[in-house]
Amino acid sequence: MVNTQEIKLPIDLQMGTFNKTILKDGKLQLSEITKDDKGNTVYEPSGTWESSIIPIYDQVASFHQISSNTIVSGNGGSYTIYAQSSADKITWSPYVEVDVQTGNMQTPKNKFARIKIEFSSSPTDATFTVDAFDKGKYNKETITSNTGALGLKKEYTYKYEFDGSWKGTGTLLRKKIEHQKFKKINALEIIKK
């Protein structure tokens, strides 16, 4: 009579190789790229996670099944689980797809195993506004959006200072303009307000 017993070998999801995937709240998922204008998260289109080497102890006859708790959220996301084995941690069998319904895998009986999970997401519509460049939104030292488009600032307005030391006729107003800040000055104009 053959006596078999199931032994659970935990797989540490924190260990392994992450490629465009992350571990968030104890769950593997595709990496988040950004959020769209409506606040929806946009994920990488695909990614993988590969476990560290899992030792299969001598008393275990075979490593033939994997169980997983999975939640697929969003529109059409999918995943595929693969397994491979090795007798020496150097030469590995090819990755073989695991039947997600039964957890069965067809890897050779060996002392070590690795798990790989491939994730993919389906494209969905998302709205992104690069920028509206509203008039007056950008009024920085060298750029402006006063015309409704982003551009280099070409007109500068300065307030002149009254020079009370002037003894001649009329009024003298002064303003020092640092010409080295400009590549070219086309004109200086005084506008009365």
Side-chain angles (χ1 to χ4, degrees):
M1 178 174 145
V2 177
N3 186 11
T4 61
Q5 180 181 1
E6 262 188 44
I7 299 173
K8 293 184 180 182
L9 299 173
I11 299 172
D12 188 354
L13 298 179
Q14 295 179 41
M15 306 300 288
T17 305
F18 294 84
N19 177 23
K20 298 182 181 178
T21 56
I22 59 170
L23 184 65
K24 184 176 180 181
D25 300 326
K27 299 177 185 85
L28 286 170
Q29 68 174 49
L30 289 168
S31 297
E32 299 174 1
I33 300 172
T34 189
K35 294 203 180 282
D36 68 6
D37 287 356
K38 296 177 182 175
N40 299 320
T41 303
V42 177
Y43 296 94
E44 290 283 355
S46 63
T48 60
W49 174 82
E50 186 176 49
S51 72
S52 299
I53 295 172
I54 305 163
I56 309 299
Y57 302 100
D58 292 339
Q59 67 267 25
V60 178
S62 66
F63 184 56
H64 66 89
Q65 194 173 40
I66 186 168
S67 64
S68 63
N69 293 326
T70 57
I71 300 170
V72 177
S73 59
N75 295 335
S78 64
Y79 69 96
T80 307
I81 301 174
Y82 298 92
Q84 68 178 176
S85 65
S86 171
D88 57 8
K89 296 191 217 178
I90 297 169
T91 306
W92 290 87
S93 67
Y95 271 113
V96 178
E97 187 174 344
V98 175
D99 183 338
V100 293
Q101 300 299 322
T102 64
N104 290 333
M105 58 182 110
Q106 302 302 317
T107 56
K109 296 177 185 179
N110 275 315
K111 292 182 179 182
F112 306 97
R114 264 196 307 224
I115 306 298
K116 180 167 121 179
I117 306 173
E118 291 182 353
F119 298 89
S120 64
S121 62
S122 297
T124 58
D125 293 335
T127 303
F128 294 96
T129 303
V130 176
D131 202 317
F133 299 120
D134 298 326
K135 287 186 179 184
K137 181 176 181 182
Y138 294 98
N139 281 321
K140 307 294 182 197
E141 189 174 338
T142 57
I143 60 171
T144 183
S145 62
N146 285 340
T147 62
L150 188 64
L152 292 175
K153 193 169 183 179
K154 296 178 182 175
E155 295 180 7
Y156 293 83
T157 304
Y158 299 103
K159 289 189 176 189
Y160 292 94
E161 298 169 8
F162 175 73
D163 186 350
S165 66
W166 177 253
K167 301 294 182 208
T169 58
T171 303
L172 179 62
L173 302 173
R174 293 182 186 263
K175 174 65 183 163
K176 182 177 181 179
I177 298 174
E178 298 177 33
H179 66 86
Q180 62 269 31
K181 287 187 172 182
F182 301 96
K183 186 174 181 181
K184 180 179 174 184
I185 298 176
N186 291 338
L188 296 173
E189 183 180 353
I190 297 174
I191 302 171
K192 261 186 159 180
K193 287 191 178 183

